[in-house]
Amino acid sequence: MKETNPANVPLVGVICEFNPLHNGHAYLLEHARQLAGDKGCVICVMSGRSTQRGECAVIEPFARGRMAISGGADLVVELPFPWSSGSAEAFATAGVYILAALGVQHLIFGSECGNIKLMEQVAERMNSGDFAERYAALCRSGLGTAAAYVQAIQETSYDISKDFPASNDLLGLSYLSAIRQLGVQMAVHTVKRMGQDYRDEILTDVSFPSATALRRLMDEAACDPLCLSTMLEDTMPGDALNILLEEVAAGRAPVSTALLHPYYHTYFRLWDADHPITAELGGGLAGHLHKCALSAKTPLEFMTAIATKQYTNARLRRGMLFAVTGVTEEDIKSSPVYTQLFAANQRGRAYLSVIRKASDTIPVQVVTKPADAPDGRQKVLSKQMDALFTLCLPDPKEAGWLTKKTPNIE
C-alpha cells in the first residue's frame, strides 16, 4: 500500500488494547512521546468493543480512549472488529494497515525481550521455507498450533534464549511480518516490558501491573467502588483511574463476556453440519464445540468442557465470537475501510484536521459518527459486535447505544 504523511510531522504509532490502561502502557506512551517530540503526534490504534482474547473489552472504547489521552496519547482511533479479535497476524496486519494509511512513520511496542535487532533477525528467518516446513510438521505431530509456532521459531533460529519468544514478542514478530507483507516504510522500536506478566491473575506489582490482575480486581470489587479505588491505587495514571471509577459507578463497567456464555452454549447445541464454517472454526473445531454443547448441562460446564490441548482458550473464544456474529475467513483477510475516532487532544485534533483535508489520498476513512461510516461488510459486523457488547454491560443497553456516543475532544 502507499502511505502518506500529509502534515510532514513526526508520527509515532501504538497498536493496543489498553484493557484497562495501566502504568506499563503509560511507560510505553512515554517512550512514544520521546520519539515524536513536542511537534509530533502519538497515534493509538486501539481495540474497540472486543479484544484479541475473543472477549469484550472491560470498559467501553470511548472511555478507554479518554484514558489513553490521559496516559500520553494524542489521537486514539479504533482497531475495528473483527480484526480486533483476530489472530496475532490479523490483529497486527489491520493495525499496521491503519497506521500506515494515517502516515505513521514509527511503530513502537512492548516486548519481553526488548531487543529489536534480535526480533528483526528472527522475523527474517521466519520467512524461510525451513520455518514453514517445521511448523507444519509440528502441527501434524499433534502439538497445539500455538506451541508448534513457538517451537518452530526456536528450532529454526539461532542464539536465542529458551524464554524467547514470549507473548508480546510473538505479537511484535507479527508487526514486523505485517510491515513486510504490506510493503510499507515504517521504522520499528520496542520497549522492554517491566513488572508482571500480563497473564498473572494476582496483583503483586502496582508499578507495572498485570492487566489480567486488574480485570480480576474489577470483577471482584466493582460492587464497592471505594474498595476498588484503594486496590487500584498507583496501578495507573490518576486521571485514568478516575475515568475507570466513573465508569464503574455509572454501571458501565466492568463489561462481562461471561454473560454471553449461555448464548454460546445454546448456539452450539443447535449447530449442525449444514452451518457455514466461520473464521477460526475449521479443522473440526466447530464439531468439537457442538459435541461439548450437547453433553454439557450448563453454560459453565460447556465453557469448561471445550478446553483442548490442540487449541488455545483464546482461539476457542474467538471462534465462538466469530460464529455468532457470522465472521468469515474472507472478512478477516480483507482490510479495514474506516476507523472510528475515540479521543483526541490538541495535537491529535490538529493532525486530524490535516487528515480530513487530505482524505482523498488516505485509504482508511476516519469517522466521527458511526452513521457516517461507509456501508459494507465492516459496518455490518461492527453493528453485530455492538449488539453483543451492550448486553454485557453491568446495566445492559439497547443495541446501538455505543453508536450514539461522541469522541472526547480536548
Side-chain angles (χ1 to χ4, degrees), residues 17-96:
E17 292 186 333
F18 293 164
N19 187 39
L21 182 137
H22 55 64
N23 290 337
H25 300 135
Y27 180 72
L28 175 63
L29 290 172
E30 179 183 343
H31 281 76
R33 169 54 53 206
Q34 292 172 3
L35 271 175
D38 293 336
K39 295 182 179 179
C41 188
V42 176
I43 301 176
C44 291
V45 176
M46 186 188 75
S47 301
R49 297 154 179 79
S50 70
T51 68
Q52 201 194 356
R53 292 167 53 86
E55 297 179 332
C56 294
V58 73
I59 303 172
E60 59 92 347
F62 292 93
R64 284 169 31 244
R66 291 170 57 206
M67 294 173 74
I69 296 296
S70 76
D74 296 317
L75 180 65
V76 185
V77 297
E78 183 181 22
L79 178 58
F81 181 77
W83 302 279
S84 60
S85 287
S87 64
E89 179 184 2
F91 182 93
T93 301
V96 169

Side-chain angles (χ1 to χ4, degrees), residues 318-378:
R318 290 198 300 266
M320 291 187 291
L321 181 60
F322 289 162
V324 299
T325 52
V327 175
T328 67
E329 290 291 346
E330 289 72 21
D331 293 323
I332 291 290
K333 292 176 181 177
S334 65
S335 298
V337 296
Y338 71 90
T339 180
Q340 167 80 46
L341 173 65
F342 289 142
N345 61 13
Q346 185 175 1
R347 271 188 293 251
R349 190 171 69 246
Y351 187 63
L352 186 61
S353 177
V354 173
I355 291 174
R356 296 202 187 285
K357 291 177 182 177
S359 60
D360 291 343
T361 65
I362 296 176
V364 176
Q365 183 179 341
V366 180
V367 301
T368 303
K369 297 183 295 184
D372 295 335
D375 292 333
R377 186 65 177 160
Q378 181 181 336

Side-chain angles (χ1 to χ4, degrees), residues 87-363:
S87 64
E89 179 184 2
F91 182 93
T93 301
V96 169
Y97 183 85
I98 293 171
L99 286 177
L102 299 181
V104 169
Q105 312 106 323
H106 299 268
L107 171 65
I108 187 169
F109 59 88
S111 66
E112 286 83 1
C113 74
N115 186 336
I116 195 62
K117 289 185 178 179
L118 169 64
M119 298 184 76
E120 288 175 336
Q121 290 170 357
V122 172
E124 183 68 28
R125 291 169 189 156
M126 289 171 65
N127 286 309
S128 70
D130 289 345
F131 171 79
E133 290 176 7
R134 189 58 187 144
Y135 176 55
L138 289 168
C139 288
R140 288 193 298 269
S141 72
L143 193 64
T145 53
Y149 194 74
V150 171
Q151 188 169 326
I153 291 173
Q154 292 174 337
E155 291 184 6
T156 56
S157 301
Y158 308 100
D159 302 323
I160 62 174
S161 74
K162 63 180 180 180
D163 298 324
F164 180 89
S167 298
N168 287 275
D169 296 328
L170 284 168
L171 191 54
L173 291 171
S174 294
Y175 294 144
L176 292 170
S177 176
I179 290 170
R180 175 191 293 270
Q181 184 180 49
L182 293 171
V184 299
Q185 297 297 315
M186 191 178 292
V188 184
H189 313 264
T190 191
V191 175
K192 186 174 177 60
R193 288 189 80 257
M194 310 287 285
Q196 291 189 254
D197 187 285
Y198 83 100
R199 292 167 296 191
D200 289 348
E201 295 187 356
I202 305 299
L203 180 64
T204 59
D205 183 354
V206 296
S207 298
F208 292 98
S210 152
T212 301
L214 298 185
R215 291 193 294 271
R216 182 177 179 182
L217 288 177
M218 291 178 67
D219 286 338
E220 294 177 348
C223 58
D224 189 342
L226 180 59
C227 177
L228 181 63
S229 174
T230 301
M231 290 191 294
L232 296 182
E233 188 175 6
D234 297 327
T235 63
M236 60 188 70
D239 288 344
L241 178 58
N242 290 336
I243 294 168
L244 183 153
L245 295 173
E246 286 174 11
E247 294 300 300
V248 171
R252 296 188 293 265
V255 180
S256 176
T257 310
L259 293 173
L260 295 179
H261 293 175
Y263 179 36
Y264 289 163
H265 187 203
T266 302
Y267 180 92
F268 283 101
R269 269 206 170 193
L270 300 179
W271 183 90
D272 61 49
D274 291 332
H275 274 67
I277 299 299
T278 48
E280 301 276 12
L281 285 187
L285 189 51
H288 165 72
L289 293 172
H290 177 53
K291 182 179 179 180
C292 291
L294 289 175
S295 59
K297 303 180 187 68
T298 66
L300 178 59
E301 189 176 330
F302 168 66
M303 295 300 294
T304 302
I306 63 176
T308 169
K309 292 181 180 179
Q310 184 71 17
Y311 302 105
T312 64
N313 289 335
R315 166 73 182 273
L316 294 167
R317 288 190 295 265
R318 290 198 300 266
M320 291 187 291
L321 181 60
F322 289 162
V324 299
T325 52
V327 175
T328 67
E329 290 291 346
E330 289 72 21
D331 293 323
I332 291 290
K333 292 176 181 177
S334 65
S335 298
V337 296
Y338 71 90
T339 180
Q340 167 80 46
L341 173 65
F342 289 142
N345 61 13
Q346 185 175 1
R347 271 188 293 251
R349 190 171 69 246
Y351 187 63
L352 186 61
S353 177
V354 173
I355 291 174
R356 296 202 187 285
K357 291 177 182 177
S359 60
D360 291 343
T361 65
I362 296 176

